[in-house]
Amino acid sequence: MSGPASRTPLSQRARPALLVVDPITERRRALSRALAAAYEVVPALDAEEGERYAQTLGPAVIVMPAPIARGAGAWVLAERYGDPSVAQSVVLLGSGDPAEAEEIPESTVLLPAHGLARNALITRIRLALLAREAGLAPDAHLEALLGDLSQISLIELVQLLSRMHLSARVDLPGRGHLRLAEQTLHSAATGKVQGIKAFCRLCRLTEGPFRVVLEPHTGEDCGELSAALIAAIEDSLGDYPPPTHQLVLNPNSIFFETSFSKLAQAILVGAHGGQTVQEVFDGLPQTDGEILSQLNELEDLGSLSLQPPSTPVHIVTDSTADLPPDLAAKYGIEVVPLTVLFGKERLLDRVDLQPGPFYERLADRGPHPTTEPPAAETIGRRYRRQSTDRMVLSLHISSELSQTPLNARRAAMEWMDSESPNFSPRVIDSRLVSLPLGFLSLFAARMAGRGIAVETIEERLLALRERFHTFFVVDSLEFLARGGRIGKARAFLGGLLNIKPILGLDDGRIVPVDRVRGGRAAHPRILELLRDGIDPERPVLAGIAHAAAPVWADRLRGLIEDEFQVKEMIVAEMGPVVGAHVGPGTIGATLFQPLPAEDDLLPTATKVPQ
């Protein structure tokens, strides 16, 4: 499974040498000529000649037909001279024989070249090289480049594509997409917003999967890419208020003496209409950054203020829910961070330490990180931020895995002693972790947004938490051993045998369910386990959480969407706290099947089919 990306600045990453080993003269020449404009390409007839050239090249990306790779010399060549920074340092041109896939290492890309047009073959090899430069990985068939925004920002990715003069489509599932045509921005869209405004908004995302497909440019352009990038960087400056907060008009004395700009007037009109921050940002043509700047000026004048949403219940969870930040903000869910400790260094989960840099630190094999729950005082401060006329419903990681729920209950008891007893926070031990907890928090926020009483929400959540079907496959037993979950000898033997344990959740505990040999066998087995408890004829909500393994996450997502009627899919990267215990390469899948009467759990009030 693919590991974490290198965080070396893109401008400092050297392009790899490209060693093309191919006895087919026409194909070898075509590949070499097409790629020589951007790379140092050295053609070779066979593995022996390739090794002679590789001695002077140093680390390289090696392209060769699969039949040649069956010889011991080809694997020696790859092991000695393959670029160690590239998970896919060997690209095999396959013949289409299914047996080939069973013979090659999982870290090797098998590209079915038989019957593939020459231009398509060149495009896919370019994608493998692009993956190396971005520190990311291609999918199994070299049709797309996969990654997560915690590994490389969208601005960095766009700059890389531009520097390589590529035309591409970048899809951000559930969020939007953009198209680039070499040095220009062709289009961008997120929700109902399009153009430069959408591009700027997408560039503010800090987590979430993306998919890059190389495609030719068609149609008109939005403008020069350099100008769009400057606008996106400007747009990312400043602290954005919660999107669910409501604008409130304050017609003070300064208000009647001030000559407002057209943008300020439009914002004030929105405030007069009771709009939320998100509604104002979506409804005006200016970029979010321009609106934010004007909004701050109006607040400074005292002509405008922001208030929390009028929903009677405020939802709090913790960072082990692995909720993407933009999704938590959209529903007004407050996330309390746990702490990651590297020796004496203390870092707040997803505040001081993001998933991408965290998995890089794990790869450095320094001291094993430990984790710590938020103190009761910390959680209590979060509770006190809410006014005494709003109930707080607090959902947390299983008490079998962390003391966070216990500390939350202590904070609630202190509230009862010192604050308004009638509005004391209600704390739920979810008996869950990662995206199942994230989904339960979303369910709570959606019910709260529809005005359901806190007592009813709490009662329903206690029943809903038992209906998640969740399985994890761990890429390496090393981290379970380092964290004391299994013996080191068992981890060593498991590594030798390429054993991948499948884990599940049972009454708040992480328990072994099964084990398979090799990562390719894990996903079909997870599907079998999910089918045992899910009706494939009825809708499901699905989540995939991964630890620096976007390629495997994309593969599992596709399998689940092919097998089940998925009405909502969340793909998220496991945060540092969860990742510290399971290690990079871990993949988790969770499914929840709503009943026909539970349409209020869905993103919109769409009736669940019978």
Side-chain angles (χ1 to χ4, degrees):
M1 295 186 182
S2 55
S6 167
R7 299 299 295 176
T8 304
L10 294 176
S11 60
Q12 298 178 18
R13 292 181 192 167
R15 288 186 174 176
L18 180 62
L19 182 58
V20 179
V21 182
D22 195 344
I24 301 177
T25 300
E26 182 184 355
R27 186 169 64 185
R28 184 182 66 250
R29 288 178 176 173
L31 292 176
S32 300
R33 289 171 181 169
L35 299 169
Y39 299 94
E40 179 185 3
V41 179
V42 178
L45 285 170
D46 52 34
E48 182 179 353
E49 186 175 74
E51 182 166 6
R52 189 165 63 249
Y53 285 132
Q55 289 175 355
T56 57
L57 281 177
V61 172
I62 303 166
V63 179
M64 68 178 76
I68 292 181
R70 291 194 180 99
W75 291 124
V76 171
L77 173 66
E79 183 177 347
R80 287 181 182 173
Y81 302 106
D83 189 334
S85 68
V86 187
Q88 293 82 10
S89 61
V90 180
V91 179
L92 298 183
L93 308 181
S95 63
D97 183 359
E100 286 177 337
E102 300 176 2
E103 300 174 2
I104 66 171
E106 292 180 9
S107 60
T108 297
V109 172
L110 180 62
L111 173 58
H114 181 71
L116 196 63
R118 191 63 44 79
N119 287 341
L121 178 61
I122 292 169
T123 296
R124 295 187 186 188
I125 293 175
R126 276 179 173 160
L127 221 127
L129 298 171
L130 172 61
R132 189 268 175 191
E133 290 204 47
L136 302 172
D139 66 5
H141 301 293
L142 279 178
E143 295 176 339
L145 178 67
L146 305 174
D148 194 281
L149 295 177
S150 68
Q151 300 171 355
I152 177 174
S153 72
L154 189 57
I155 289 178
E156 283 183 298
L157 179 62
V158 166
Q159 287 174 326
L160 174 62
L161 294 170
S162 173
R163 194 176 74 224
M164 296 184 71
H165 299 278
L166 295 174
S167 296
R169 175 188 172 101
V170 181
D171 288 319
L172 298 103
R175 292 168 169 87
H177 71 270
L178 57 94
R179 285 189 174 93
L180 308 172
E182 297 188 355
Q183 302 297 314
T184 59
L185 175 64
H186 172 43
S187 64
T190 175
K192 297 180 180 180
V193 179
Q194 298 185 4
I196 296 292
K197 182 184 178 82
F199 177 74
C200 292
R201 186 175 290 184
L202 291 172
C203 285
R204 294 206 311 273
L205 295 173
T206 58
E207 290 185 33
F210 64 79
R211 184 180 183 92
V212 179
V213 179
L214 302 184
E215 63 179 21
H217 164 55
T218 57
E220 299 181 358
D221 300 323
C222 290
E224 290 293 325
L225 187 58
S226 58
L229 285 169
I230 291 173
I233 293 171
E234 286 286 343
D235 210 58
S236 66
L237 303 176
D239 295 324
Y240 281 80
T244 57
H245 276 38
Q246 189 174 31
L247 276 63
V248 178
L249 193 62
N250 299 324
N252 53 15
S253 58
I254 299 178
F255 178 88
F256 296 103
E257 299 172 0
T258 303
S259 177
F260 295 108
S261 67
K262 289 185 178 180
L263 176 56
Q265 292 176 32
I267 294 173
L268 293 171
V269 168
H272 180 68
Q275 290 187 336
T276 64
V277 170
Q278 191 64 57
E279 288 170 338
V280 169
F281 281 173
D282 287 346
L284 297 177
Q286 291 84 357
T287 66
D288 293 348
E290 292 171 327
I291 299 171
L292 175 65
S293 178
Q294 187 65 78
L295 196 65
N296 289 337
E297 288 185 19
L298 291 171
E299 279 195 283
D300 291 341
L301 286 173
S303 301
L304 194 70
S305 61
L306 300 179
Q307 291 185 357
S310 57
T311 55
V313 183
H314 178 65
I315 305 302
V316 177
T317 189
D318 61 65
S319 58
T320 66
D322 288 332
L323 271 177
D326 59 307
L327 191 59
K330 176 181 177 180
Y331 285 97
I333 299 171
E334 187 164 5
V335 180
V336 181
L338 277 73
T339 300
V340 179
L341 297 92
F342 283 93
K344 294 182 179 180
E345 186 180 10
R346 302 172 60 86
L347 301 165
L348 293 179
D349 186 12
R350 276 191 162 99
V351 177
D352 305 320
L353 183 63
Q354 300 301 327
F358 168 74
Y359 289 114
E360 182 187 4
R361 292 189 67 164
L362 281 189
D364 291 340
R365 296 185 175 274
H368 184 71
T370 57
T371 60
E372 187 177 274
E377 295 79 8
T378 300
I379 300 174
R381 285 195 295 270
R382 298 294 185 113
Y383 293 162
R384 282 188 286 275
R385 288 181 184 177
Q386 306 305 314
S387 62
T388 54
D389 60 352
R390 293 184 76 201
M391 293 296 303
V392 172
L393 187 58
S394 201
L395 300 84
H396 297 286
I397 179 176
S398 170
S399 58
E400 297 288 343
L401 305 174
S402 170
Q403 285 191 321
T404 302
L406 176 62
N407 291 350
R409 287 198 174 98
R410 287 173 178 166
M413 292 297 294
E414 291 173 4
W415 176 291
M416 290 185 66
D417 294 337
S418 60
E419 308 288 341
S420 173
N422 293 331
F423 291 91
S424 61
R426 292 171 177 258
V427 177
I428 294 179
D429 176 359
S430 72
R431 316 294 286 175
L432 303 169
V433 67
S434 194
L435 275 186
L437 171 57
F439 264 114
L440 200 68
S441 302
L442 283 177
F443 294 165
R446 287 168 181 169
M447 286 189 279
R450 288 160 183 158
I452 298 175
V454 67
E455 296 84 1
T456 303
I457 297 176
E458 181 179 22
E459 180 181 354
R460 290 183 62 184
L461 293 178
L462 292 174
L464 293 172
R465 69 182 180 181
E466 308 297 331
R467 291 167 47 195
F468 285 93
H469 301 264
T470 303
F471 300 98
F472 299 88
V473 56
V474 179
D475 186 46
S476 170
L477 295 170
E478 174 190 354
F479 289 88
L480 292 174
R482 286 167 67 176
R485 299 302 194 272
I486 61 172
K488 291 185 178 180
R490 184 178 172 190
F492 175 73
L493 291 174
L496 288 179
L497 298 173
N498 197 21
I499 296 297
K500 310 293 184 186
I502 296 177
L503 310 174
L505 287 172
D506 182 18
D507 196 25
R509 299 180 180 90
I510 295 178
V511 297
V513 175
D514 200 353
R515 59 182 180 175
V516 295
R517 182 168 294 178
R520 288 191 174 95
H523 295 168
R525 180 58 182 139
I526 285 179
L527 244 64
E528 290 177 7
L529 293 168
L530 289 171
R531 278 196 295 264
D532 288 343
I534 296 292
D535 180 359
E537 301 301 321
R538 296 185 53 247
V540 298
L541 309 181
I544 295 174
H546 69 94
V551 174
W552 290 101
D554 184 74
R555 181 174 184 266
L556 185 55
R557 176 198 56 79
L559 291 172
I560 288 175
E561 289 181 337
D562 288 343
E563 183 73 20
F564 301 100
Q565 297 186 34
V566 178
K567 293 301 180 183
E568 180 176 20
M569 169 68 77
I570 299 174
V571 180
E573 191 154 22
M574 292 179 182
V577 167
V578 176
H581 296 285
V582 295
T586 298
I587 295 288
T590 187
L591 262 61
F592 179 89
Q593 192 153 56
L595 300 174
E598 293 175 337
D599 53 283
D600 54 356
L601 303 181
L602 302 178
T604 56
T606 302
K607 195 69 176 176
V608 177
Q610 298 283 347

